[in-house]
Amino acid sequence: MTAQDVSAHQVPLVRLDPTGSDHHGEAARLRELGPVVRIELPGGVHAWAVTHHQLLADLVADPRVSKDWHRWNAIRDGEIADDWPLTGMVKVTNMVTADGAEHHRLRRLVTKTLTPQRVQALRPRIVEITEGLLDALPGHALPDGSVDLRHHFAYPVPMQVICELVGVPEHERDEMRALVDSIFRTDTTPEEVLNTQRDIYLLLDRVVEARRKEPGDDLTSALIAAREEEPDTLSDDELLGTLWVMVAAGHETTLSLLANAVRALLTHPEQRALALGGDAAVWSAVVEETLRWDAPIGNFLARYPLEDIEIAGVTIPAGEAILAPYSAVGRDSGQHGPDAHRFDITRAQARHLSFGHGPHVCVGAPLARLEANIALPALFARYPDLALAVDPGDLVPVPSMFSNSVQALPVHLGTPNSDGA
């Protein structure tokens, strides 16, 4: 037998649920099966998952693996069609799917614009957006008095921030939101997949054209200016791909982070009490523990080996896909201790991988952290009696093997605190 045959036969094969109905139950099963597990994606496509924190951290920093989806044998050999449900998350042209010098070139263009100073300069605007949404929450109450916090708070905070940062005109934002939702879902039909792929680039073309006619203080205008100074800096596809990854990742991760943090605090009263009585450092611990314990992105296709590589005694052949199961590694007891399954904002903050690791660590992580560290304490200061309006077991997961959150987060606001505004 070849190394590939041995690996395929000896390692358990697990079919991942494309509807994401139980991210953490599935993640626990993956961990129990071992550090390296064979998985089946929608459409019968096979890949691998590395379930231990340190092994995954080592993998994503390993120069022997690529981020370029063209290196995936299944795509190169024509086994995956353009209407595959995961296409929009895989076959993109931007810094997320580039290696080496190409990755550095594309990432540098964004980091030159999204500097730490610029991120911090957004603080007053994020506060303004947050306070406006908190003011409006009572007006969104349904007849039973409940308010969907996902739709009316967790959604609009990051969407408004990222659209303003990128330069998406206000009249395009509803469609942008719908397209981001669609791309992260993994229960879509082939027709929906193809339509979403088409509509994303039509919308981004309109955004670029609008900013070309009327430049502003935004990322799109800055990238257009960079292209005019150096025409070879960015191709048309790379420009659109860069804008797309900024909007999609900049929205979806923070949306789920906010929703998951609120859910965690509302279902852990002792942790909530600590947070409400705490300072900025305590709220930062809430954010980091949520990222570890309930990662916004449960799974992500991470790497494609350029050569056969061995991980924990298992040989993964060149050109096969490796999944990063963030829900699994976030609760890895080998990294986070025997109580890794517990939500505990007082735990020593061991590093997590929810924003990635190595050269491809998420460029938007500082912005996501800033938004969460503003929005969460403001929400609980304004509505200190906030409570779930349904049993936690009745919350419905987002139908995605990528996004890990709930479709709605109905709450009762309680009496607002006028001093919390």
Side-chain angles (χ1 to χ4, degrees):
M1 279 189 179
T2 65
Q4 181 174 358
D5 291 332
V6 170
S7 296
H9 285 294
Q10 289 184 340
V11 179
L13 176 65
V14 179
R15 181 182 181 275
L16 297 190
D17 178 6
T19 70
S21 63
D22 183 14
H23 269 273
H24 288 292
E26 185 173 75
R29 290 191 291 275
L30 289 175
R31 284 194 306 272
E32 289 168 2
L33 288 170
V36 180
V37 181
R38 191 78 163 149
I39 58 171
E40 182 179 312
L41 303 170
V45 177
H46 288 186
W48 301 83
V50 176
T51 67
H52 288 192
H53 173 103
Q54 192 56 53
L55 291 176
L56 184 61
D58 292 343
L59 171 75
V60 298
D62 192 328
R64 297 175 300 163
V65 296
S66 171
K67 286 283 283 181
D68 185 355
W69 54 268
H70 295 90
R71 303 281 190 171
W72 190 359
N73 294 343
I75 289 180
R76 188 192 61 206
D77 298 341
E79 297 173 12
I80 295 178
D82 287 340
D83 61 3
W84 186 48
L86 278 57
T87 290
M89 294 290 291
V90 176
K91 297 174 69 173
V92 292
T93 303
N94 54 46
M95 60 186 172
V96 173
T97 59
D99 295 322
E102 287 297 286
H103 170 247
H104 178 73
R105 173 177 64 86
L106 294 171
R107 186 181 177 97
R108 179 176 58 85
L109 292 170
V110 175
T111 55
K112 281 176 61 178
T113 303
L114 197 62
T115 62
Q117 293 78 13
R118 176 157 194 166
V119 169
Q120 285 302 317
L122 292 170
R123 178 181 290 274
R125 180 59 181 144
I126 297 171
V127 170
E128 182 181 18
I129 290 170
T130 298
E131 295 298 339
L133 292 168
L134 293 175
D135 290 342
L137 282 180
H140 296 298
L142 297 174
D144 66 357
S146 69
V147 175
D148 182 356
L149 210 61
R150 175 184 169 93
H151 184 77
H152 296 296
F153 188 71
Y155 240 135
V157 168
M159 180 55 80
Q160 191 162 343
V161 171
I162 199 64
C163 282
E164 290 183 7
L165 178 64
V166 170
V168 179
E170 193 162 349
H171 68 275
E172 300 279 21
R173 293 177 188 176
D174 284 345
E175 183 179 0
M176 182 67 81
R177 173 189 289 187
L179 291 171
V180 172
D181 284 349
S182 179
I183 210 75
F184 277 91
R185 292 177 66 125
T186 45
D187 65 343
T188 47
T189 66
E191 182 180 13
E192 288 173 321
V193 171
L194 293 174
N195 288 344
T196 297
Q197 292 298 304
R198 178 199 64 209
D199 292 345
I200 285 169
Y201 290 96
L202 289 174
L203 189 155
L204 292 172
D205 272 328
R206 296 196 300 270
V207 171
V208 169
E209 186 59 28
R211 296 284 69 82
R212 184 176 283 118
K213 290 178 179 177
E214 295 184 29
D217 183 22
D218 55 70
L219 179 64
T220 302
S221 298
L223 291 175
I224 291 171
R227 290 189 67 195
E228 291 174 349
E229 291 176 11
E230 299 180 54
D232 295 333
T233 297
L234 207 61
S235 70
D236 289 341
D237 284 347
E238 289 170 343
L239 172 60
L240 298 182
T242 297
L243 295 177
W244 176 241
V245 73
M246 291 302 296
V247 172
H251 165 65
E252 185 68 21
T253 300
T254 310
L255 156 64
S256 296
L257 169 57
L258 292 175
N260 292 359
V262 173
R263 176 176 56 171
L265 291 174
L266 295 185
T267 53
H268 294 79
E270 74 292 348
Q271 301 297 311
R272 173 184 177 157
L274 292 172
L276 265 60
D279 57 11
V282 173
W283 282 102
S284 178
V286 170
V287 172
E288 298 308 314
E289 180 68 348
T290 301
L291 287 165
R292 178 200 72 82
W293 184 75
D294 206 8
I297 302 300
N299 298 297
F300 196 78
L301 280 164
R303 298 295 189 278
Y304 313 97
L306 298 173
E307 59 186 70
D308 291 1
I309 62 172
E310 184 177 306
I311 302 176
V314 176
T315 299
I316 300 180
E320 298 210 354
I322 304 175
L323 185 86
Y326 296 123
S327 290
V329 298
R331 300 189 184 184
D332 174 15
S333 60
Q335 175 69 20
H336 302 290
D339 66 342
H341 61 286
R342 293 182 59 245
F343 177 73
D344 180 6
I345 65 174
T346 69
R347 94 173 47 247
Q349 291 299 315
R351 63 189 176 95
H352 58 75
L353 300 176
S354 296
F355 283 125
H357 179 62
H360 282 271
V361 66
C362 178
V363 71
L367 178 58
R369 286 186 164 106
L370 179 63
E371 291 176 82
N373 277 287
I374 290 172
L376 290 170
L379 170 66
F380 281 91
R382 179 73 67 89
Y383 299 105
D385 299 324
L386 196 70
L388 281 177
V390 298
D391 186 276
D394 292 334
L395 295 172
V396 180
V398 172
S400 172
M401 60 180 294
F402 297 123
S403 293
N404 168 42
S405 193
V406 290
Q407 295 188 45
L409 189 62
V411 300
H412 290 303
L413 298 175
T415 303
N417 180 2
S418 58
D419 294 332

